[in-house]
Structures are given as structure tokens and as C-alpha cells.
Amino acid sequence: EVQLVESGGGLVQPGRSLKLSCAASGFTFSNYYMAWVRQAPKKGLEWVATISTSGSRTYYPDSVKGRFTISRDNAKSSLYLQMNSLKSEDTATYYCARSGVVLNWFAYWGQGTLVTVSS
Amino acid sequence: DIQMTQSPSSMSASLGDTVTITCLASQDIGNYLSWYQQKPGKSPKLMIYGATNLEDGVPSRFSGSRSGSDYSLTINSLGYDDEGIYHCHQYYEYPLTFGGGTKLELK
């Protein structure tokens, strides 16, 4: 059974940093692109980042480019999201999601971890 | 960026009804579209991929279709378990984008 378990969320002040983790199991992690998708309270879904199988290629929307960094450790079947210079508009539930190839749907999602950016 | 305009933003229907939710893509995305169902406090669940392909385990009451740049999710024989928010998603190119969501409630 595919499982994605996020951790690392919490309350953080504007301008500070936070690192999210996602532990994957139930599939060969190194064979899949992985992504982060977020959802602000009572809002729609917003794609945040995608990383290739080896980690050599990463993709971001303009809203987080230069502030967020996605990475992975295939030996640990783990995905990460380093978030720097956080803003109030980054407040959201962050989901880890399994993609497929370069451009693909999200077949599996974690339960999400809430990040609140507030002073 | 590709804009996905989803409609309606909310709707109410009765048990047994057939409902249709639509997403209009701002440019050609081929069949690179998926649909997700999200229940309150839960993560999204994949329902349809490739515009028309039913994900394993999803009831056949759900179907996806395409007409040009208009993509539709149709639910037949609506049941209480179908309540939730439905999201469309284009994966034709980066940045990946989602529609604004449709909240479906049963009367």
C-alpha cells in the first residue's frame, strides 16, 4: 500500500524558515517524480514544486521560486521542502504527492501538514 | 501560465441526480487533465486522468469527457458519498495549475 506521511509543519514567524519532510513507503520511491501541493485555508489547490527521480531537475511556480527548495533522498525514500523567507500567504496545508514522469497526474497524496506563518 | 476556469463554484443536487462540472483551459492542453475529489479535512483523491480515464477503484458512475478546451466531470446516480470539492488539474506544462474547485452538496 502506498503511503506518504508529511511532517514538519507548525507555526513560524514571517521571514523565517521551515523544512517539511515526507516519508514514502509501499512503492519504489526512486522510480517516481514527486511533488508538493498546498492548499490555503478554504482555498483551492496550488502546485508548489516537483522533483525528478534523481533529483537533478526541479520545477517551481514563480510564487515560490527562489524561496523554496525541493529535494529528495532516495536511499531514505524521503522528500523534502525547504521553505525560506516565509510570508503570510504561504500559510497552507502542504501535501506531498506522487507523480509519474515529467508531466503527470498525482495518483497518491499524503494527509498534509499545516504551515502557519504569523507573528 | 495556463488558466483553468472551473464552473460552477458550488452546486446542490438531489440523490440520484446527474451532475456535470466543467473546466475550461485557457490554451490547448490535449488530454493532460485530471480530476480529484476532496472530502472535508482529507487529502484529494484522484478520480480521472488523461481527461477520460477512470482511476482504479473509482465507481463507473464517474466519467470524464472533453470537447475542445472544455473538460467535464459527470457523476451519474448521485449519492451522499459524492459530496465534496472537485478539482481539475492540467499537467500539460509547467507551471501546473488547478481549477478553483467545485463544492458539491446534496440537498
Side-chain angles (χ1 to χ4, degrees):
Chain A
E1 178 194 5
V2 172
Q3 286 200 342
L4 299 169
V5 181
E6 302 94 335
S7 60
L11 175 64
V12 61
Q13 293 179 327
R16 303 298 288 263
S17 299
L18 198 65
K19 186 173 185 177
L20 306 182
S21 299
C22 171
S25 61
F27 64 101
T28 304
F29 182 74
S30 58
N31 286 353
Y32 291 87
Y33 276 55
M34 296 294 295
W36 290 95
V37 177
R38 69 184 179 183
Q39 186 171 35
K42 305 295 185 184
K43 299 293 184 182
L45 299 170
E46 180 186 17
W47 167 71
V48 172
T50 293
I51 188 167
S52 64
T53 51
S54 66
S56 61
R57 283 169 289 180
T58 56
Y59 308 84
Y60 306 93
D62 287 344
S63 58
V64 307
K65 194 175 296 183
R67 298 189 300 122
F68 289 12
T69 302
I70 188 173
S71 62
R72 65 191 297 162
D73 185 335
N74 286 341
K76 294 183 177 180
S77 295
S78 292
L79 179 72
Y80 307 100
L81 185 67
Q82 176 67 47
M83 303 184 293
N84 298 332
S85 304
L86 282 162
K87 308 175 182 179
S88 58
E89 51 264 42
D90 295 319
T91 294
T93 295
Y94 285 73
Y95 296 102
C96 165
R98 194 187 88 173
S99 185
V101 292
V102 177
L103 287 161
N104 213 324
W105 58 89
F106 299 122
Y108 295 95
W109 299 65
Q111 85 289 350
T113 187
L114 178 61
V115 173
T116 303
V117 184
S118 174
S119 55
Chain B
D1 298 3
I2 298 174
Q3 308 300 317
M4 302 301 296
T5 303
Q6 190 171 341
S7 61
S9 56
S10 65
M11 63 187 305
S12 181
S14 300
L15 204 64
D17 280 355
T18 293
V19 300
T20 298
I21 299 167
T22 299
C23 264
L24 173 65
S26 62
Q27 63 188 74
D28 177 44
I29 61 169
N31 284 335
Y32 291 79
L33 183 109
S34 56
W35 291 96
Y36 303 87
Q37 176 195 66
Q38 187 176 27
K39 304 246 181 191
K42 300 293 186 181
S43 56
K45 173 189 174 184
L46 176 68
M47 306 299 279
I48 300 281
Y49 61 94
T52 61
N53 299 293
L54 200 65
E55 172 69 347
D56 288 347
V58 174
S60 58
R61 303 183 291 102
F62 290 83
S63 63
S65 62
R66 171 193 176 190
S67 176
S69 294
D70 281 301
Y71 299 80
S72 297
L73 174 70
T74 298
I75 311 171
N76 294 311
S77 302
L78 204 61
Y80 287 111
D81 191 48
D82 299 330
E83 284 191 312
I85 299 176
Y86 290 84
H87 309 270
C88 65
H89 159 53
Q90 69 80 17
Y91 50 95
Y92 179 78
E93 67 178 27
Y94 289 105
L96 309 179
T97 49
F98 291 85
T102 295
K103 185 175 184 179
L104 172 62
E105 293 180 325
L106 264 71
K107 295 176 184 174

